[in-house]
Amino acid sequence: MTVFMDLIVSTLCIIVTLNLSNFLRKFISQRWSKDLIGQVLIEFVAAFELTAVAFESSVLLRIGGVPLFALSVFLVWYWRTQNWHGVTGSPSSSIEQWVTRRIGVLSLIITVLAQLAGGFISYRYYNTLYWRLGLSDAHSAKIHDGFEQCRSNIKTVPWLAACAEALIIFTFLMGVKLVLRIRSLKNVAGLLISFLGTSLVLLTADICGGYFNPVLASAVQFGCTGSTLMEHLLVYWVGITVGTLAAYYVGTLLVNNTKTKDDEKVSQKLD
């Protein structure tokens, strides 16, 4: 097959995955919109979509290099800004909600398990299923290479890689908060958020992979040679979670300070 056909097949696989996930989210929301089971299932679907698309994007990286990979990440990220509506598929966000007492420990455990299940099911039973059909040469090459031959994306000392993951998720979440607070950017918010996320992925790709999400990192990297289990947990679970919590607390502090200053201005005008 030609490179063009490989590109067409991978693009169609991503489009099908995105639309399938979107259909499932809407179906679940219509039936269990306010129930815990509905929230958990939606997080399961989000983690499934995130991981499945990430694996197919790695095929695009093989086909067209970094430019094609970057384009796919940007477009998929924009899709999510328009369709996910606050869903993350990320355990770090669930942990943040638990730490800030927005959910209980039982909800945390069930949600994280659902997210893990979504990520690993897509890896083992979705991508591999249609890759084995040999719809493209790139898919056949993926199967031929074998998943167990993967190498760790941690290319520096683990603590530095953990800091990199923490920094990019912190930067991303703070950027999202800023963009969403500026009303004049409302019409281009999705584009700006997607550009920021894609840029941060590319910036740290050769350091730690730039995964942003513990489930995605574990689905792609767990068991790969070149790093230990403790190093993996430090970089992708501790690092990302610390960055997420830092963004929450710093963002909350800034918002409270802004409100205080606004209240003082109003009070001065009234006086």
Side-chain angles (χ1 to χ4, degrees):
M1 294 184 184
T2 64
V3 172
F4 178 73
M5 284 303 300
D6 287 351
L7 174 60
I8 294 297
V9 170
S10 288
T11 301
L12 288 175
C13 288
I14 289 176
I15 291 173
V16 168
T17 302
L18 293 176
N19 281 280
L20 173 63
S21 299
N22 203 38
F23 169 79
L24 291 173
R25 270 193 300 274
K26 290 180 178 178
F27 177 83
I28 294 167
S29 296
Q30 289 173 357
R31 283 157 177 76
W32 303 288
S33 59
K34 297 182 180 179
D35 297 335
L36 175 60
I37 186 174
Q39 298 169 9
V40 168
L41 288 174
I42 287 176
E43 288 292 336
F44 168 87
V45 172
F48 172 88
E49 176 192 315
L50 187 72
T51 307
V53 172
F55 272 102
E56 196 59 47
S57 293
S58 71
V59 177
L60 291 176
L61 179 62
R62 178 192 290 262
I63 295 171
V66 173
L68 183 58
F69 172 76
L71 178 61
S72 70
V73 171
F74 175 83
L75 292 175
V76 170
W77 215 310
Y78 180 73
W79 160 274
R80 289 171 183 149
T81 65
Q82 305 304 303
N83 293 279
W84 275 29
H85 307 300
V87 178
T88 66
S90 174
S92 62
S93 295
S94 300
I95 293 171
E96 175 208 307
Q97 292 178 334
W98 173 68
V99 169
T100 55
R101 299 184 179 181
R102 284 175 285 166
I103 63 173
V105 65
L106 180 60
S107 295
L108 170 67
I109 293 172
I110 295 174
T111 302
V112 171
L113 288 176
Q115 291 163 339
L116 284 167
F120 280 92
I121 284 175
S122 69
Y123 165 60
R124 292 292 182 184
Y125 302 108
Y126 180 70
N127 294 90
T128 54
L129 180 65
Y130 69 78
W131 283 355
R132 292 185 192 282
L133 297 177
L135 299 175
S136 73
D137 290 342
H139 285 175
S140 299
K142 272 285 188 181
I143 294 297
H144 181 267
D145 290 347
F147 296 107
E148 281 67 36
Q149 296 180 12
C150 64
R151 292 284 301 173
S152 172
N153 283 142
I154 301 174
K155 305 298 183 183
T156 184
V157 290
W159 69 265
L160 185 58
C163 289
E165 286 286 351
L167 181 60
I168 62 170
I169 190 64
F170 174 84
T171 303
F172 176 73
L173 293 175
M174 293 301 295
V176 170
K177 294 177 190 291
L178 177 62
V179 168
L180 295 180
R181 284 184 62 84
I182 302 176
R183 293 181 180 178
S184 60
L185 298 178
K186 180 179 179 180
N187 293 331
V188 294
L191 294 172
L192 292 175
I193 291 169
S194 304
F195 177 78
L196 174 62
T198 304
S199 299
L200 291 171
V201 169
L202 296 177
L203 184 65
T204 53
D206 292 331
I207 300 174
C208 54
Y211 285 99
F212 284 85
N213 185 321
V215 162
L216 175 60
S218 291
V220 175
Q221 286 282 286
F222 188 77
C224 292
T225 58
S227 62
T228 65
L229 172 61
M230 293 306 297
E231 289 171 344
H232 177 89
L233 294 176
L234 171 65
V235 174
Y236 299 120
W237 284 80
V238 176
I240 294 174
T241 301
V242 167
T244 301
L245 291 172
Y248 172 82
Y249 285 114
V250 172
T252 301
L253 179 63
L254 292 176
V255 168
N256 290 339
N257 286 341
T258 301
K259 287 182 178 179
T260 301
K261 291 179 180 178
D262 290 342
D263 291 341
E264 290 176 352
K265 289 180 181 178
V266 172
S267 179
Q268 290 173 358
K269 288 181 180 179
L270 292 175
D271 293 340

